[in-house]
Amino acid sequence: MSILWSAEGRRKLRGPAAILAACVAMSAALIEASHWFLQKERLDARGASARLKEAHARVDKVRRERESLDQSTEVFRMLVARGLMQPEQRLELVEQMNGLRAQHGILALDYEIAPQRPLAVAGGRQFPAVDILSSRVSVRLRALHEGDVLAFIEALAASRQGFYPVDRCAMRRMEVANPDALQARVEADCTLEWITMKEKRVA
Amino acid sequence: MASRYLYLTNARLACLRLSRGHIREAREFEVSEEGAAAFEAYLAAAPALPTRFITDLVEEDFRPDTIPHVGAGDRQAIVGRKLGQIFRNTPYRHALLHGREADGRRDDRVVYAAITNPEVLKPWMEILERHEVALAGVHSAAVLGTRLLEALGLVYPHTLLVHFSPGGALRQTYFRAGEIRFTRLTPLDHEDERSLGEIVADETTRTWQYLDNLRSFAATDRLEICVLVQPKDRAAVEPALTGFEQIAYHLLDSDEVAAKVGLKPPPRGSEAVAGSPSGAERILARLLERRGIENHFATPEMRRHWMFGQARNIMNAASIAILGIGIVAVVMNLHGIFAASDEDEKAGREIGELNREYDQMTRALPAAGVGGAAMRDAVSFYTTFIQGYPSLTGFLVPLSGVLQDHPRVRLSQLSWQATDNPAATPPLASQPPRVPPPVRSSGKGADVAIRPPAEDASTAPFGGGRYEVALVEATVSVPSHDFRAALGEVERLAGEIRAVKGFQAEVIESPLDVRPSLVLQGRHAEREAPGMEARFLLRVVRKGLAT
């Protein structure tokens, strides 16, 4: 074997050794270059895959939003029809109180509408696109029958200018000295919120 | 791949070119200055091929010996020293290892072989050296005889292989149990009046006598003499070979032997193939071609061109293999690159389509006069807080249904609240009955004043009204002092309210508080009313339908 490393051996094997070295270098370079390019392509493909995923998510989101808006549109039309997006018309409420009192045979009616305020909702939930406004309404009334009281409250809550969720109500039977006399038998004390909304305008 | 085989006797140099059993070329050169010059001229024009040199010379000497069984390194040293001692004047020397003795120290059996006169080879080696011929080895024809016996299945305890060498000589090689022990080359005298058969018979008998004198045979041993003859000589040889008790002759037809070892006949009329078509030198060369054998006599210096060639071949093969691996890896990577690129392109197309779809959908989103966000917020507020908000009527209707089944119960007052807190208690001012009951309890905790903590409803957060809580104050008409009936009526009423889906009811104040910690006062007047109205207080909770 040592003869291969002699001067003659080195001289004779110089060519094949150079070819071998060149082949090793060329193979290594080809493998490394193609591997690098493969990794780059895979990275690009992974990036494209991520972008595709994002695009899918974006389209899904807008699709859900569209579906949600499709559903919301109907509800919103109803809300608009209820005057939810209009400012408070207090005069109309005063007139409505008067009308309802006569309609339901309310013998006595006291009411108070507090100043309008932004309504804080439970859980601190925020609605960035609209202002939720409310005026607290307290109603004290007397009637012959509790059915009249309930009908009055129901009619008030169904008013077409905003929403009127009644959150407290106390009804009490009144003692009368003369059962045959026409006088109030039921007394009620209720509070409710008169809720309207206003779209926030971006300056 | 073709190889060249040079078969040297004392009279001739046969030059053979073999390729897979085919003799492509066969020439003979005289052992003389003219022959050497002709050989050199031939070699200068012939293609460079790996070359093996087979010697069939008178100067070959074989000496059996035994040496202690030692490790490989020590054995090599011992053998080298012995060879140097025995064959001091020649570089062409070799030791054949034949295994171990069966008894005693079980020494290693060795046969030392050498070409005792290196001058015989010198001119030919110089020519090979001048032409840088790749000499793979110098082999002894006598030793190759072992291969021939193996190939023909001639396994005898004592065998004498006899064949004719180019230039007219008779080679006799004695094998004991397949191991070479002795060889002898006898030149054939052309002026000898004996027939070829008689010569063979005489020479083999002489050899037997010599071996017998060396006590090579036991009394019952027989020497099997295998004579390789050309078909044309068979008729001249066979009649003379009559064996006897100690000698048996076996004639080996050289054509048949050539066929057995895979030596194919040369093409008809080929001028490049001179000499006998199935001569012993061709058969031995073919055996050497079929399966390589260790070099016998050539020194590393003589074989260096062959070693360079081998190394060159290995490096070239390695170069091709490495390049091949590289190409395969590149092809695999390219496949991956194309696949990834396709995937990338496909994803790009899909992204483009999705973006177009997104744009179309975004443009087509309904606005309804206000911004989409305002619509969403408005609808969200409505669905979360308003849509499922309870009403007083909705609470009282099922309660009234239960009260209808209890005509003795009369509702005095009710305080109702929609809240998100199921523990909330609406405010209620207690109304004492017009006629106090004949028995009443007093003491700390007897009068449960329903005074909830002060709460400013105007600042409290607006909830979705998930619970409705009500305090119901009522009286039950029962006979005077029949508190058991009153208690039973109230418990039944509470139970029936609880039976309504979503309702919970508990008695806060019962018609008669019978807790031991309280003072109980009763009064029986002289004139008593036949009945009484027992007051009680219920707390009713309804879980909202939306929750």
Side-chain angles (χ1 to χ4, degrees), chain A residues 1-6 8-14 16-17 19-27 30-39 41-42 44-49 51-53 55-56 58-59 62-73 75-80 84-85 117 119-123 125-130 132 136 150-151 153-154 163 165-175 190-191 193 195 197 199-201, chain B residues 129 132 300-302 304-305 307-309 311-312 315-316 318-320 322-327 329-330 332-338 340-344 346-348 350-351 354-355 357-358 361-362 364-387 389-394 396 410-420 425-429 431 434 455-464:
Chain A
M1 188 59 74
S2 61
I3 205 158
L4 296 177
W5 302 107
S6 65
E8 185 186 10
R10 290 199 301 273
R11 182 169 49 80
K12 294 227 167 179
L13 297 176
R14 191 181 301 151
I19 291 170
L20 177 61
C23 285
V24 169
M26 194 186 300
S27 290
L30 282 172
I31 290 171
E32 182 58 31
S34 60
H35 182 71
W36 175 83
F37 200 61
L38 174 63
Q39 294 306 315
E41 283 294 320
R42 282 184 175 161
D44 289 350
R46 273 202 291 274
S49 179
R51 288 197 303 279
L52 179 63
K53 204 172 171 184
H56 270 299
R58 208 164 54 239
V59 169
V62 78
R63 191 174 286 143
R64 280 197 304 274
E65 191 174 359
R66 187 180 64 182
E67 288 168 6
S68 166
L69 282 175
D70 286 344
Q71 294 167 358
S72 299
T73 304
V75 177
F76 188 70
R77 286 200 184 108
M78 183 270 289
L79 298 181
V80 171
L84 190 73
M85 302 303 290
R117 71 192 193 286
L119 183 67
V121 297
R125 189 164 168 189
Q126 299 294 318
F127 297 92
V130 292
I132 314 289
R136 191 157 184 83
L150 291 175
I153 298 295
E154 283 292 304
F163 282 98
V166 180
D167 60 356
R168 291 166 193 264
C169 213
M171 284 199 299
R172 186 167 58 86
R173 193 184 297 279
M174 298 174 68
E175 296 300 332
C190 299
T191 56
E193 297 285 353
I195 298 172
M197 287 185 196
E199 185 182 7
K200 283 180 182 168
R201 296 290 177 191
Chain B
E129 178 60 34
E132 296 187 351
E301 179 69 15
M302 295 171 191
R304 70 186 188 285
H305 296 299
M307 291 168 75
F308 294 153
R312 195 163 42 236
M315 282 196 280
N316 288 341
S319 299
I320 291 167
I322 287 168
L323 203 57
I325 289 168
I327 289 168
V330 167
M332 288 171 68
N333 284 343
L334 280 176
H335 180 72
I337 287 167
F338 287 135
S341 180
D342 285 350
E343 197 178 325
D344 195 8
K346 190 178 164 193
E350 280 189 48
I351 288 169
L354 287 170
N355 284 340
E357 189 181 352
Y358 176 80
M361 289 170 73
T362 307
L365 282 178
V370 294
M375 186 195 304
R376 269 196 306 275
D377 279 358
V379 171
S380 175
F381 174 77
Y382 170 75
T383 53
T384 308
F385 294 100
I386 303 297
Q387 194 173 34
Y389 202 84
S391 70
L392 177 60
T393 310
L396 289 179
R410 183 170 180 268
L411 202 64
S412 304
Q413 62 173 332
L414 172 142
S415 180
W416 171 89
Q417 181 182 358
T419 178
D420 283 343
T425 303
L428 183 81
Q431 279 188 315
R434 286 170 301 177
E455 181 186 359
D456 185 358
S458 62
T459 57
F462 179 73

Side-chain angles (χ1 to χ4, degrees), chain A residues 82 91 137 144 163 194 201:
Chain A
R82 286 285 303 256
L91 181 58
V137 179
L144 281 173
F163 282 98
W194 179 14
R201 296 290 177 191

Side-chain angles (χ1 to χ4, degrees), chain B residues 242-326:
Chain B
T242 52
F244 50 93
E245 197 174 343
Q246 285 82 17
I247 289 179
Y249 286 101
H250 306 276
L251 280 180
L252 307 175
D253 187 304
S254 65
D255 281 358
E256 292 175 8
V257 171
K260 271 191 179 176
V261 299
L263 184 65
K264 299 178 180 67
R268 285 179 183 279
S270 172
E271 292 181 2
V273 183
S276 167
S278 58
E281 76 281 4
R282 300 183 183 199
I283 291 169
L284 293 177
R286 167 59 187 156
L287 285 170
L288 200 52
E289 184 202 25
R290 198 165 71 167
R291 187 156 61 90
I293 190 172
E294 62 174 342
N295 164 56
H296 294 156
F297 300 128
T299 61
E301 179 69 15
M302 295 171 191
R303 298 174 69 219
R304 70 186 188 285
H305 296 299
W306 180 80
M307 291 168 75
F308 294 153
Q310 290 293 102
R312 195 163 42 236
N313 289 342
I314 289 170
M315 282 196 280
N316 288 341
S319 299
I320 291 167
I322 287 168
L323 203 57
I325 289 168

